[in-house]
Amino acid sequence: MGADAPSVLPVLAGALAHWRRRGRLADLLPSLLAWCLARSGAERGIFFTESAGSGYRVWGSRDADGESIPDGERSISHFAVMRAAAQETPRLFPDTRADRRFRTEAEREREVRSRSILVVPIPGVDPAAGLYFDSRFRVIDEPAVDDPEWHVVRDLLAIALGVESERRHRRDLERIVRARVRAATPSAGPESPPPRRNAPRSAIAPVVFHQFLTCSSELAELISEVRRLAPSVVPILIEGESGTGKELLARAVHIESGRKGPFVTLHCGTVPETLVEVELFGHRAGAFTGADRDRPGLLAHAEGGTLFLDAIEESSPVL
């Protein structure tokens, strides 16, 4: 497989051209993941960062058919990632069927299991990041430690993650500044009450709500509102700075709703405009070149459950 893979240079040139136009990580990943699959002989590839609670954030994924993996965060073997984390070089696990500890959340629900797994750490980034590849039928080709093309791909992804982090941090700061300006702006009405954010808040008895534990009366009010809204079909917009638990609250809404369907996440900033329709609605076999089978979209995967649109402020106008 490795010998048949194209050189990484033209792939990088195309990926960087897309990245320069909009500066989004999503513009880099499709072509880079395709090259990695061709080079390693893997069936599926996922670019991820670790998140709180031993979970993963999937920035992009791709299978052998050029389609994204709808349950990407549940298709990563935590055991493989943890074993590979001790070193900065690629780590191949050639026979994962023999050890149940390599099973992923998605595999626990299906009979099909991966035969081999390759984890390629991305050094020098925080939180930890990596490329994850698996194959059901063959042993993946392990990159050489001194392979310069793999080094270039890893370094470029590390730089792109840094740029993405800075962009998000700047956006969060801008949001904070706007909120403070609104709070400091005098009200037009002479009898208008002071802004709610300045109202004194007293501590209350601890409130437990799924993964939330709080003594804040303000958060307790929010939890009460969530309990009321969760059983309904009303779309809910959750706003907050990075790290405040927006996804945790979304999962709590899903659990509280009692819906039996899955909780499906779409990171809006990682979907190229050309793939928006396919991601959401899927396609029929023969709809375009390479579409050799029916593929349900994320809306179908989330049927009877919840579709969580993460980072919706980063979505393209098409999405």
Side-chain angles (χ1 to χ4, degrees), residues 37-53:
L37 292 181
R39 186 62 173 266
S40 66
E43 280 188 275
R44 306 191 303 174
I46 299 172
F47 181 50
F48 70 92
T49 52
E50 295 184 12
S51 59

Side-chain angles (χ1 to χ4, degrees), residues 186-215:
S187 174
E191 298 181 359
S192 298
R196 186 181 177 187
R197 65 165 55 245
N198 294 330
R201 296 287 177 175
S202 58
I204 60 173
V207 174
V208 179
F209 182 67
H210 301 286
Q211 296 191 51
F212 289 87
L213 171 64
T214 183
C215 292

